[in-house]
């Protein structure tokens, strides 16, 4: 299990950048952004993002760490496409930590944040072919919302929208 699951700190932009880029390399079809797009973003972008995800920011970012190494993350925030709902974004766990309940703890942390923030629903998108992730979200209480979209414009990889009433 992770040594700690905690809120991202405002000054931890380098760690956030490095983790996000690892996630994009490990699972290129799991995210709407690509490694090529995000690897060229300036340091100021990452510093702003860390501030946004930290205490007092407009969104909620969790990180899982073991022995000082960041091994997972999840982000919650107002949903970009469904006003009034929360979104679960940027969920990823390092392959070395999969199967150790890190992912479930990250999801539960974001769900707890969304509930405490007063959102009635939390929504995510997951690649349909990622059966392990779909099973995780079902175990956490999410259900298929019936919406299917390509992971990004021009992609043949299809995602499903899943929701949980809070």
């Amino acid at each position: 299990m992770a040594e700690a699951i905690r809120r991202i700190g405002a000054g931890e932009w380098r760690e956030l950048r490095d983790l996000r880029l690892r996630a994009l390399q490990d699972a290129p079809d799991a995210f709407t952004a690509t490694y090529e797009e995000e690897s060229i973003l300036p340091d100021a972008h990452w510093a702003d993002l860390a501030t946004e995800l930290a205490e007092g920011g407009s969104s909620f970012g969790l990180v899982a760490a073991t022995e000082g190494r960041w091994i997972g993350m999840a982000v919650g925030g107002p949903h970009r496409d469904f006003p009034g709902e929360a979104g679960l974004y940027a969920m990823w766990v390092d392959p070395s930590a999969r199967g150790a309940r890190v992912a479930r703890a990250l999801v539960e942390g974001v769900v707890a944040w969304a509930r405490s923030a007063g959102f009635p629903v939390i929504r995510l998108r997951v690649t349909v072919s990622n059966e392990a992730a779909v099973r995780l979200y079902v175990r956490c209480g999410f259900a298929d919302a019936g919406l299917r979209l390509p992971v990004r414009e021009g992609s043949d990889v299809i995602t499903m929208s899943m929701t949980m009433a809070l």
Side-chain angles (χ1 to χ4, degrees):
M1 180 59 174
E3 187 176 282
I5 294 182
R6 61 171 178 80
R7 188 98 185 243
I8 292 171
E12 295 180 309
W13 65 268
R14 288 175 186 85
E15 296 88 343
L16 175 61
R17 177 198 59 207
D18 294 348
L19 184 68
R20 175 67 173 173
L21 294 178
R22 280 182 23 226
L24 290 168
Q25 286 181 309
D26 174 66
D29 290 333
F31 304 101
T32 57
T34 66
Y35 175 83
E36 292 73 24
E37 292 167 343
E38 293 202 0
S39 66
I40 61 172
L41 293 172
D43 292 350
H45 164 83
W46 297 103
D48 290 346
L49 181 58
T51 299
E52 177 184 326
L53 298 176
E55 190 71 40
S58 60
S59 295
F60 180 81
L62 285 180
V63 61
T66 185
E67 298 176 7
R69 181 174 180 258
W70 285 23
I71 58 167
M73 70 178 290
V75 170
H79 200 283
R80 299 173 189 127
D81 299 320
F82 292 86
E85 294 183 5
L88 171 61
Y89 302 105
M91 175 66 199
W92 182 77
V93 173
D94 188 274
S96 68
R98 292 180 187 155
R101 298 186 46 90
V102 173
R104 184 173 187 120
L106 288 166
V107 170
E108 289 174 350
V110 172
V111 167
W113 163 82
R115 188 174 285 121
S116 71
F119 288 99
V121 172
I122 185 166
R123 179 181 298 264
L124 61 85
R125 284 176 52 196
V126 61
T127 304
V128 173
S129 60
N130 188 343
E131 295 173 7
V134 171
R135 283 192 309 270
L136 165 72
Y137 295 130
V138 168
R139 282 193 311 270
C140 289
F142 286 85
D144 185 349
L147 180 63
R148 301 292 187 271
L149 295 168
V151 69
R152 67 187 73 84
E153 190 174 323
S155 176
D156 293 333
V157 177
I158 302 300
T159 64
M160 79 165 74
S161 183
M162 299 183 80
T163 59
M164 177 196 298
L166 302 173

